């Protein structure tokens, strides 16, 4: 055939994502990234057959004030290049397609409509924003976060023309009430929704067909759901970060949360939050949810279950956070197992050039079922578990620890070790000698082929810096100087490990060391310490990662995707890092003042590959935005409902050119 007459539809189907076919197989009629748009269904040209070799991303330039419209929206100007064994190359222009902007009315699949990102109380009643008299409205989120794209065997949803695909989306918080003055962070129970998407089998395009709000009443509602992952068995693994301190004398945030959830500021139990929820999607696009109370009560950011379907490495987004691993008793079942916390050995570094890896050993904190820990949460008061004091009691029966940046002295009550391990996990891990010295440990993901996990440290400061009050001497996590821009760490995974008591750990996927992979670069004043903005306002090098948060790895593309939660980049970016070529490419820019969230790389769904991406709180202005705020604020207001809305969607790919001759 004449190659230059290849139709748009056929061009989009050159790369295989066909199930069960290895990348080196001879395959046809499928695509790498789903396209936005249709094709020529009348073209009868036979499909091209060839072998996939590799995929790489070009790096787009960061938007500037010369194009303010691009700074005020989701903007992709990068390209994806797919190489084949016949020396040809397909180039795709990347774009972004939202399913909705929060605050939109969307179909419930029953002839009615629901508010995208809307909040509900424990009785599934709408929570109403009454801060502007006469303009009362249903609260909705400006901060969608963790997203999973998945299929369900034998799924059947009315009205679907192609094939049903589901996206589970959680909404972390709402920044402000509509009066623009009332801070709503963490004061509303996080909603979580299932989107039924109609997948066009000729283009891969996903169209929203149905929105289902998940009933969370049976799990006591959800608290600050941040990053998420897809389990190997096809469920959505959620998160609850910044667990409320059960020993706090007062907690205004928890009281406001309780008021909005229960209508009673005193009813919410802090021990019901800080756990790992799991969402199971049904064949009709509805879903059920459960919480796993046995995976530790920490600042859950993102859980990555390894290919053994038992071992989970967990992000812990806190000051004085740590590496935690949960090993389930059974495959595909997180309802019982053993919890471990890491001790970091000598040689910890954040400098990739140092090529230094610090060994990890593992302290067993305890074994439990979710049911027994939930029962303890229901029945125990904090003082039943341990005594916590803020000043030195001069009593050898107390142990000095540092948690949440503060020094405490604790004493575990007799018979309460299990309760302490699973309900006061940070305190108990510190008590047992784990290395709780990290700051804002965010996303985790795994490169299964190489048996390497990746973990994002959004900032290297506070508890990680020698001499800081939160830094614990001897815990292995200590660097001489802060790096606000953060670092991505790589952790080698192995089997045959023993815990610090000499007992075998039943996993072939335990992290055995940690080393820096990618680091940001602070822009500093002449004193070498003070952050100094460039002409646009960036206080970190805009051509390197800054404040990494979301992480996802594509086995097919051999690519680590990195989403930023940065107060140092005027626009936050999503990056692609090829672990073989070491090439770092800027793929996407989110609206200024927003955070890149909802990252999810899906290697294959019905022959198509997807990269999901959302953003949060566009136009959340800080000091670095002084040079752009005046120009961008009206644009973002116009694009995103006066900054109350945020987009949920995915990257698209359209063929840019064909290079079919031998190189």
């Amino acid at each position: 055939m004449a190659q230059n007459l290849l139709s748009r539809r056929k061009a989009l189907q050159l790369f295989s994502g066909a199930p069960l076919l290895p990348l080196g197989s001879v395959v046809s009629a499928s695509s790498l990234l789903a396209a936005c748009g249709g094709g020529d269904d009348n073209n009868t040209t036979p499909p091209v057959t060839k072998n996939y070799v590799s995929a790489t991303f070009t790096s787009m330039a960061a938007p500037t004030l010369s194009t303010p419209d691009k700074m005020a929206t989701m903007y992709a100007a990068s390209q994806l290049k797919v190489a084949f064994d016949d020396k040809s190359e397909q180039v795709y222009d990347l774009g972004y397609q939202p399913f909705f902007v929060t605050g939109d009315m969307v179909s419930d699949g029953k002839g009615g409509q629901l508010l995208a990102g809307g909040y509900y109380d424990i009785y599934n009643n709408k929570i109403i924003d009454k801060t502007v008299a006469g303009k009362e409205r249903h609260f909705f989120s400006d901060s969608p976060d963790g997203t999973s794209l998945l299929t369900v065997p034998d799924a059947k949803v009315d009205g679907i023309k192609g094939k049903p695909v589901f996206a589970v989306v959680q909404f972390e918080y709402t920044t402000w009430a509509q009066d623009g003055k009332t801070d709503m962070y963490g004061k509303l129970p996080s909603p979580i929704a299932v989107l039924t998407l109609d997948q066009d089998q000729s283009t891969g395009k996903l169209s929203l067909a149905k929105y289902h709000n998940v009933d969370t009443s049976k799990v006591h509602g959800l608290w600050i759901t941040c990053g998420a992952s897809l389990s190997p068995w096809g469920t959505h693994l959620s998160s609850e970060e910044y667990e409320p301190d059960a020993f706090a004398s007062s907690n205004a945030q928890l009281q406001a949360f309780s008021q909005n959830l229960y209508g009673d500021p005193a009813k919410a139990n802090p021990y019901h939050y800080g756990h790992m929820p799991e969402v199971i999607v049904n064949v009709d696009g509805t879903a059920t949810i459960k919480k796993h109370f046995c995976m530790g009560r920490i600042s859950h950011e993102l859980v990555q279950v390894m290919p053994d379907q038992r071992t989970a490495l967990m992000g812990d987004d806190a000051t004085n956070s740590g590496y935690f691993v949960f090993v389930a008793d059974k495959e595909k079942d997180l309802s019982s197992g053993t919890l471990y916390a890491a001790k970091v050995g000598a040689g910890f570094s954040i400098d990739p050039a140092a090529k230094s890896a610090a060994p990890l050993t593992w302290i067993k904190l305890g074994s439990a079922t979710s049911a027994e820990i939930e029962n303890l949460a229901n029945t125990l008061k904090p003082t039943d578990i341990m005594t916590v004091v803020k000043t030195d009691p001069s009593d050898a029966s107390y142990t000095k620890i540092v948690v949440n940046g503060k020094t405490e002295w604790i004493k575990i009550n007799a018979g309460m070790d299990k309760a302490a391990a699973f309900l006061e996990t940070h305190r108990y891990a510190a008590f047992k000698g784990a290395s709780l010295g990290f700051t804002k440990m965010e996303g985790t993901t795994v490169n299964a082929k190489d048996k390497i996990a990746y973990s994002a440290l959004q900032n290297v400061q506070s508890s990680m810096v020698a001499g800081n009050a939160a830094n614990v001497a001897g815990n292995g996590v200590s660097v001489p100087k802060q790096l606000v821009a953060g670092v991505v760490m790589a952790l080698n995974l192995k089997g045959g490990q023993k815990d610090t008591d000499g007992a075998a750990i039943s996993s072939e996927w335990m992290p055995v060391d940690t080393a820096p992979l990618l680091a940001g670069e602070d822009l500093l004043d002449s004193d070498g310490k003070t952050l100094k903005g460039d002409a646009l306002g960036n206080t970190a090098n805009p051509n390197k990662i800054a404040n990494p948060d979301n992480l996802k790895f594509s086995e097919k593309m051999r690519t680590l995707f990195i989403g930023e939660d940065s107060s140092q980049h005027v626009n936050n970016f999503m990056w692609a890092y090829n672990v073989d070529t070491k090439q770092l490419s800027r793929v996407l820019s989110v609206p200024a003042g927003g955070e890149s969230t909802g990252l999810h790389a899906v290697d294959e769904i019905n022959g198509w590959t997807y990269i999901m991406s959302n953003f949060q709180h566009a136009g959340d202005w800080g000091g670095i935005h002084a040079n752009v705020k005046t120009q961008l604020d009206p644009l973002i207001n116009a694009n995103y409902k006066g900054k109350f809305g945020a987009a949920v969607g995915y990257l698209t790919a359209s063929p840019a050119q064909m290079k079919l001759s031998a190189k």
Side-chain angles (χ1 to χ4, degrees):
M1 71 176 190
Q3 299 289 358
N4 61 354
L5 296 179
L6 190 68
S7 74
R8 172 184 169 89
R9 174 182 173 186
K10 297 299 181 185
L12 287 170
Q13 296 178 330
L14 286 175
F15 177 82
S16 174
L20 305 180
L21 286 172
L23 291 177
S25 295
V26 178
V27 289
S28 63
S30 54
S31 175
L32 180 64
L33 279 175
C36 174
D40 180 8
D41 292 330
N42 296 319
N43 188 291
T44 58
T45 305
V48 176
T49 301
K50 56 183 70 184
N51 289 322
Y52 162 82
V53 175
S54 64
T56 58
F57 291 85
T58 64
S59 188
M60 65 179 238
T64 67
L65 280 176
S66 64
T67 54
D69 57 318
K70 295 174 181 177
M71 295 186 71
T73 190
M74 290 288 266
Y75 170 60
S78 50
Q79 291 184 320
L80 173 66
K81 296 182 179 180
V82 183
F84 300 95
D85 64 349
D86 66 349
K87 307 300 182 182
S88 66
E89 183 180 80
Q90 172 67 63
V91 180
Y92 296 88
D93 290 328
L94 300 185
Y96 181 76
Q97 178 66 46
F99 300 126
F100 57 77
V101 171
T102 58
D104 286 351
M105 299 304 296
V106 292
S107 173
D108 66 359
K110 304 174 185 178
Q113 290 190 314
L114 293 172
L115 183 71
Y119 285 89
Y120 298 86
D121 65 17
I122 201 72
Y123 312 106
N124 289 309
N125 297 317
K126 297 176 183 178
I127 301 176
I128 304 301
D129 182 346
K130 302 177 182 178
T131 58
V132 178
K135 295 185 178 180
E136 293 79 5
R137 71 182 188 188
H138 188 183
F139 266 116
F140 61 91
S141 176
D142 66 336
S143 296
D145 206 305
T147 301
S148 297
L149 193 70
L150 56 92
T151 58
V152 175
D154 302 317
K156 183 174 176 55
V157 182
D158 291 341
I160 296 296
K161 298 177 182 178
K163 290 186 177 180
V165 174
F166 304 103
V168 183
V169 182
Q170 57 197 44
F171 301 89
E172 186 178 359
Y173 59 89
T174 282
T175 307
W176 302 101
Q178 65 171 322
D179 65 359
K181 301 176 182 178
T182 305
D183 183 356
M184 295 304 299
Y185 178 80
K187 296 177 181 178
L188 295 164
S190 293
I192 193 162
V194 178
L195 315 182
T196 298
L197 306 170
D198 193 340
Q199 185 190 48
D200 187 311
Q201 295 305 289
S202 64
T203 66
K205 181 180 179 180
L206 300 173
S207 301
L208 179 63
K210 174 183 174 180
Y211 183 103
H212 170 74
N213 194 68
V214 179
D215 180 1
T216 65
S217 60
K218 290 183 174 60
V219 295
H220 318 287
L222 298 178
W223 171 273
I224 312 179
T225 53
C226 195
S229 66
L230 180 67
S231 74
W233 52 93
T235 60
H236 175 86
L237 302 181
S238 181
S239 59
E240 291 185 312
E241 70 175 1
Y242 307 131
E243 77 280 13
D245 186 356
F247 282 91
S249 57
S250 64
N251 188 327
Q253 183 187 51
L254 180 63
Q255 290 169 353
F257 171 90
S258 183
Q259 176 66 44
N260 285 309
L261 179 63
Y262 290 107
D264 180 346
K267 189 167 184 178
N269 177 353
Y271 285 146
H272 286 159
Y273 309 104
H275 302 287
M276 209 293 295
E278 181 177 14
V279 176
I280 303 94
V281 178
N282 301 320
V283 295
D284 63 351
T286 62
T288 58
I289 188 170
K290 54 188 173 182
K291 273 187 192 177
H292 297 293
F293 286 76
C294 55
M295 298 181 72
R297 185 172 167 268
I298 59 175
S299 186
H300 283 290
E301 166 76 16
L302 193 152
V303 171
Q304 177 62 56
V305 177
M306 301 301 167
D308 66 351
Q309 304 192 82
R310 294 177 55 243
T311 306
L313 175 64
M314 297 179 280
D316 182 24
D317 185 5
T319 299
N320 296 106
S321 59
Y323 285 129
F324 291 90
V325 164
F326 177 79
V327 181
D329 293 331
K330 300 177 182 178
E331 292 182 6
K332 305 180 184 181
D333 183 356
L334 301 175
S335 65
S336 67
T338 302
L339 181 64
Y340 298 90
K343 179 76 174 177
V344 180
F348 181 81
S349 171
I350 59 168
D351 180 6
K355 301 186 182 302
S356 174
L360 300 175
T361 53
W362 293 93
I363 300 168
K364 179 180 176 180
L365 300 183
S367 299
T369 68
S370 182
E372 66 179 313
I373 301 305
E374 184 175 12
N375 182 62
L376 293 178
N378 292 341
T379 56
L380 293 178
K381 297 181 177 64
T383 52
D384 294 333
I385 300 172
M386 63 175 65
T387 303
V388 176
V389 296
K390 306 296 184 182
T391 57
D392 189 349
S394 299
D395 183 338
S397 66
Y398 283 79
T399 299
K400 181 182 178 181
I401 64 170
V402 181
V403 290
N404 295 318
K406 299 177 182 178
T407 301
E408 297 178 345
W409 287 260
I410 68 170
K411 179 165 64 174
I412 311 297
N413 296 343
M416 286 292 164
D417 281 81
K418 179 174 285 192
F422 292 94
L423 295 178
E424 289 291 342
T425 306
H426 278 134
R427 289 184 169 101
Y428 189 72
F431 169 80
K432 295 287 285 185
S435 294
L436 293 193
F438 297 101
T439 48
K440 292 191 69 62
M441 185 184 295
E442 304 270 358
T444 61
T445 191
V446 64
N447 169 353
K449 178 182 177 181
D450 298 332
K451 292 195 78 169
I452 297 174
Y454 305 105
S455 176
L457 295 174
Q458 182 183 345
N459 312 108
V460 177
Q461 55 188 18
S462 183
S463 61
M464 295 188 70
V465 181
N468 187 283
N471 183 254
V472 180
N475 76 356
V477 185
S478 186
V479 296
K481 181 181 177 181
Q482 72 174 10
L483 177 62
V484 183
V487 63
V488 175
M489 305 296 290
L491 298 82
N492 285 305
L493 306 168
K494 294 182 180 179
Q497 303 304 300
K498 295 182 178 181
D499 66 27
T500 52
D501 290 329
I505 299 175
S506 178
S507 171
E508 295 298 310
W509 296 84
M510 290 298 292
V512 297
D513 57 26
T514 181
L517 176 73
L518 291 170
E521 179 187 348
D522 292 341
L523 300 181
L524 301 175
D525 207 341
S526 57
D527 63 5
K529 298 179 181 179
T530 307
L531 293 176
K532 181 180 180 179
D534 63 13
L536 193 64
N538 299 299
T539 60
N541 188 335
N543 295 316
K544 294 184 178 181
I545 65 167
N547 313 120
D549 188 332
N550 284 202
L551 296 182
K552 286 292 187 295
F553 186 76
S554 168
E555 297 284 344
K556 179 169 291 182
M557 291 182 276
R558 297 284 295 163
T559 296
L560 176 65
F561 295 97
I562 304 163
E564 296 180 339
D565 176 10
S566 179
S567 59
Q568 295 183 265
H569 281 169
V570 172
N571 284 89
N572 279 332
F573 308 121
M574 186 177 79
W575 302 85
Y577 177 74
N578 187 292
V579 297
D580 297 321
T581 66
K582 315 303 181 188
Q583 178 180 335
L584 179 68
S585 303
R586 184 188 291 106
V587 173
L588 176 73
S589 172
V590 308
E595 170 186 343
S596 175
T597 63
L599 178 59
H600 184 41
V602 189
D603 279 346
E604 192 281 322
I605 288 186
N606 299 325
W608 302 88
T609 296
Y610 296 92
I611 301 171
M612 316 301 291
S613 184
N614 311 328
F615 70 82
Q616 296 183 350
H617 54 72
D620 187 12
W621 305 122
I624 66 169
H625 300 106
N627 297 337
V628 305
K629 178 180 176 180
T630 299
Q631 194 165 353
L632 298 185
D633 196 61
L635 298 176
I636 290 178
N637 281 333
N639 288 342
Y640 300 112
K641 298 181 171 65
K643 297 196 286 286
F644 288 103
V648 172
Y650 68 111
L651 289 180
T652 62
S654 300
Q657 55 184 305
M658 295 286 290
K659 296 180 180 178
L660 296 170
S661 59
K663 295 180 180 177

